[in-house]
Amino acid sequence: MEDMEPLKACRICKNTSLIKYLDLGKTPLANAIVKKDDIDKEEKTFPLEVMYCPQCHLSQLSVIVNPKIMFSNYPYRSSISKTFIEHCKEIAEIFKKSFDFKENNLVIDIASNDGCMLQQFKEMNFKVLGIDPATNLADIANNNGIETINKFWSIPIAQDILNTKGHAKIITATNVFAHVNDLNEFVEGVKTVLDKDGIFMIEAPHALQMIKHTEFDTIYHEHLSYLLINPLKHLFTEHEMRIFRVDETPIHGGTIRVFVCHNNAEHTKEASVDKIIEQEKNETLYNIEGYNEFSKRVEKTKKDLLELLDEIKKEGKKVAAYGASAKGNTLLNYFNIKSDNIEFIADDTPEKQNHFAPGSHIPILESSAIERENPDYLMLLAWNFAKELIRKTSDFEEKGGKYIVPVPEVKVVTSKDYE
Ligand code: JHZ
C-alpha cells in the first residue's frame, strides 16, 4: 500500500453508497509526535472524514492510512494509566471467575502494547502470548517477561501459533478492532487458533457513546471504524461465529466489551446483546439524522471552547493541558489551537516528552512542568482519565488552578465534580 488509499465500500457489508457526515479537515496522524529536529519539516497530512453505511450502520473513515506508518513504532503506552491497569485486572478476573478456564490455558492478546493486559493474566497463572506490530512496545513487553511476537495479526501468524502452542482458550483484542482495515482476515485468524469453546473478547469505543456524548475526538486516522453491535453481528455471522454477551464499560469515554465464540460453542447468548442493539436503534444510530445532529454539536463545542480560551487570554491568564493523547491532537488540530493558547501539554509518557504535538507543535513536557510553570487552567485532553489526572494534580488545584474539560461539553470543573 502507498501511504494512503481511499475506502471503496463498507468494510463490513460492502455497500458502496456511503454518506459523509463529518469532515475534520486534513490533519497529521494523531500519534506522529514531532521531534525537535523535524519541527521545520512539512508534516504529512491526510483527510479526516467520517462516512455512514445506511445498510449495516457502520461509521468509517473515507481513507485508510498505511498501518505500517502508524503502528511500527507507537508512542502510546497502555500501562501509563493506573485506571487502565485496574481495567485489565477486571478483565482477567472476569475470565477467571465467570468462565471455567484453568490455570495454564493459553491467552493471546492481539495488539498487546507494552504487555499491560497480559501481565494481569500472567499473575493469575495463565500462559500468555502477545502480538504487537510496534517494535518499541514488543521490546518493552519481552524485556518484562511477556512473550510478544513483533508482527501484525494475520492468518499465517495464527497458524504458526496453532502449530507451536496449540489452541488458545482466550483471545483478547482491546482497542485494536477499530484500527483494522481487513476485518475478515483478522477474524479468520482468530477463528484459526481459538479453541472450540474458547472466547474472543473485543473492546472498542462504542459509537453510541461517541455520538451521544459528542466525543468527536475519538476520530483520528488510526480508528478506521466506529463500532456498533449491529455491524459486528453481521461480520461474525459471515465467519460462523456469534456474539453471546456484551458489557458496557466507562473506559475511554464508553466502551463495548464484546464476547464472541464459534457458532457451535457451549456459551449461551445473554440478553445484553439484543438490549444494546435496541439501545442503538433508539438513539437513532440506524439513521443518518442522528449523525447529522452529532456534527452540529461538534461545531458548538468548537465555538464554546475557542470563546472560553479567548476570554481566559484576555484576562491575562495561562492555560496548559494534561494528556498528549491522540484524541487531544484531533481536537487541537480541528480547532486550530496552537501554543499561543496552550503553552504546553504535560504527559507522563517518556516517548512523548520533550517533543511536540503533531500539527499544533505545542511542546509536550513531563508533568512536573505544571508546578514549575504555574498555569491558571489545565485543559484535560485526556478527559476520559479526568479523575486520575485531577487526583495527580491536587497541588495545582490547591493553588487556585482550574480544569477545563472539552467533552461532552465545554466546562470549567474542579475535583468536586469527580467525587
Ligand atoms: P488516552 C488511545 O488513544 C490509543 P488516546 C489508541 N489509539 C486507542 O484506541 C484509544 O486509546 C482508545 C497520558 N496520561 O488513553 C498518557 C498521563 O500522562 O486518552 C497518554 O498520552 N498521565 C490505542 O491517546 C494520554 O494521557 C496519566 O496519569 O486518545 C492518555 O491518552 C494518565 C491517566 C494519562 O488515549
Side-chain angles (χ1 to χ4, degrees):
M1 195 200 278
E2 301 283 301
D3 283 359
M4 174 187 96
E5 66 181 35
L7 177 78
K8 296 195 188 82
C10 170
R11 174 165 298 114
I12 289 185
C13 74
K14 307 296 168 220
N15 175 19
T16 52
S17 304
L18 306 180
I19 310 169
K20 178 157 96 181
Y21 66 86
L22 188 65
D23 185 346
L24 297 176
K26 274 184 99 181
T27 67
L29 301 175
N31 272 312
I33 303 290
V34 180
K35 302 253 162 77
K36 200 171 187 174
D37 288 349
D38 297 331
I39 200 97
D40 294 325
K41 287 192 193 147
E42 203 183 317
E43 289 170 273
K44 275 193 185 151
T45 59
F46 302 89
L48 191 52
E49 301 167 331
V50 197
M51 320 289 287
Y52 166 68
C53 171
Q55 206 165 276
C56 77
H57 316 301
L58 184 73
S59 284
Q60 46 213 306
L61 293 190
S62 65
V63 298
I64 298 132
V65 175
N66 188 336
K68 288 192 181 136
I69 302 179
M70 294 194 283
F71 304 119
S72 299
N73 185 295
Y74 198 56
Y76 182 79
R77 293 256 298 265
S78 299
S79 47
I80 291 291
S81 156
K82 287 209 173 64
T83 314
F84 195 72
I85 295 175
E86 280 305 308
H87 180 79
C88 293
K89 190 168 177 196
E90 181 190 310
I91 291 172
E93 273 165 0
I94 290 177
F95 278 102
K96 184 110 187 172
K97 288 182 187 151
S98 316
F99 301 106
D100 189 24
F101 290 119
K102 309 268 178 315
E103 291 187 351
N104 266 328
N105 281 163
L106 176 63
V107 183
I108 298 176
D109 187 31
I110 305 177
S112 46
N113 198 278
D114 56 8
C116 186
M117 171 76 72
L118 289 176
Q119 183 63 38
Q120 300 303 325
F121 279 98
K122 196 179 171 191
E123 283 171 22
M124 293 182 191
N125 295 322
F126 284 98
K127 243 195 275 169
V128 300
L129 177 66
I131 288 101
D132 200 287
T135 308
N136 62 316
L137 298 175
D139 284 350
I140 295 174
N142 279 315
N143 289 336
N144 289 335
I146 305 284
E147 185 185 346
T148 303
I149 303 172
N150 182 207
K151 294 253 167 66
F152 281 95
W153 181 248
S154 65
I155 297 173
I157 291 284
Q159 193 61 54
D160 268 5
I161 298 173
L162 182 65
N163 296 342
T164 53
K165 299 191 185 279
H167 285 104
K169 287 277 185 192
I170 302 168
I171 303 181
T172 53
T174 57
N175 298 311
V176 58
F177 215 67
H179 302 56
V180 174
N181 183 30
D182 191 345
L183 289 173
N184 292 312
E185 156 112 16
F186 193 98
V187 173
E188 271 308 304
V190 167
K191 205 179 151 186
T192 304
V193 68
L194 187 68
D195 187 72
K196 69 177 183 14
D197 283 319
I199 296 177
F200 173 43
M201 188 220 70
I202 303 164
E203 274 196 0
H206 193 190
L208 180 141
Q209 302 298 341
M210 175 181 100
I211 299 292
K212 197 169 164 185
H213 301 297
T214 322
E215 296 168 359
F216 71 99
D217 50 356
T218 295
I219 298 165
Y220 43 92
H221 297 96
E222 291 176 17
H223 290 164
L224 297 176
S225 310
Y226 300 87
L227 298 165
L228 294 171
I229 296 299
N230 191 73
L232 286 178
K233 198 174 152 186
H234 190 102
L235 172 73
F236 287 110
T237 306
E238 296 278 295
H239 294 273
E240 294 169 339
M241 295 182 85
R242 60 186 171 84
I243 300 174
F244 67 93
R245 163 175 162 177
V246 184
D247 297 348
E248 290 173 287
T249 125
I251 198 94
H252 290 306
T255 287
I256 30 172
R257 183 183 292 150
V258 188
F259 294 82
V260 183
C261 62
H262 293 291
N263 266 351
N264 47 9
E266 62 181 14
H267 305 290
T268 318
K269 183 176 165 192
E270 298 185 14
S272 53
V273 183
D274 292 329
K275 192 180 127 219
I276 294 186
I277 292 181
E278 201 51 37
Q279 269 174 22
E280 291 174 353
K281 220 182 274 168
N282 293 342
E283 288 290 338
T284 61
L285 294 174
Y286 295 171
N287 184 310
I288 186 66
E289 287 312 309
Y291 298 90
N292 288 336
E293 288 304 313
F294 161 76
S295 299
K296 283 186 202 151
R297 290 195 301 277
V298 176
E299 292 314 302
K300 175 162 174 9
T301 301
K302 181 174 184 174
K303 184 169 164 284
D304 290 351
L305 185 63
L306 293 179
E307 279 175 10
L308 177 66
L309 291 176
D310 241 28
E311 258 171 52
I312 293 175
K313 204 171 172 185
K314 277 188 198 132
E315 288 169 12
K317 301 217 160 127
K318 290 205 300 195
V319 186
Y322 203 165
S325 54
K327 63 175 70 63
N329 290 324
T330 290
L331 180 143
L332 295 172
N333 287 324
Y334 182 52
F335 293 180
N336 200 19
I337 296 173
K338 305 243 186 291
S339 51
D340 55 340
N341 274 123
I342 299 211
E343 295 196 0
F344 65 92
I345 308 172
D347 199 289
D348 299 306
T349 316
E351 284 85 344
K352 296 184 182 179
Q353 291 164 357
N354 302 317
H355 302 311
F356 297 85
S360 70
H361 290 186
I362 299 175
I364 304 171
L365 303 176
E366 79 287 7
S367 52
S368 58
I370 299 172
E371 196 176 352
R372 194 175 63 237
E373 302 297 329
N374 215 7
D376 300 287
Y377 289 86
L378 262 189
M379 176 142 90
L380 302 181
L381 289 175
W383 48 264
N384 44 320
F385 291 121
K387 206 171 172 178
E388 187 172 345
L389 297 179
I390 290 176
R391 212 183 310 123
K392 275 191 168 165
T393 52
S394 53
D395 288 354
F396 158 82
E397 193 177 30
E398 267 164 35
K399 283 195 275 172
K402 294 199 176 75
Y403 302 94
I404 301 170
V405 288
V407 167
E409 53 191 347
V410 178
K411 258 191 187 164
V412 174
V413 298
T414 69
S415 55
K416 290 210 167 53
D417 296 290
Y418 291 88
E419 274 168 3

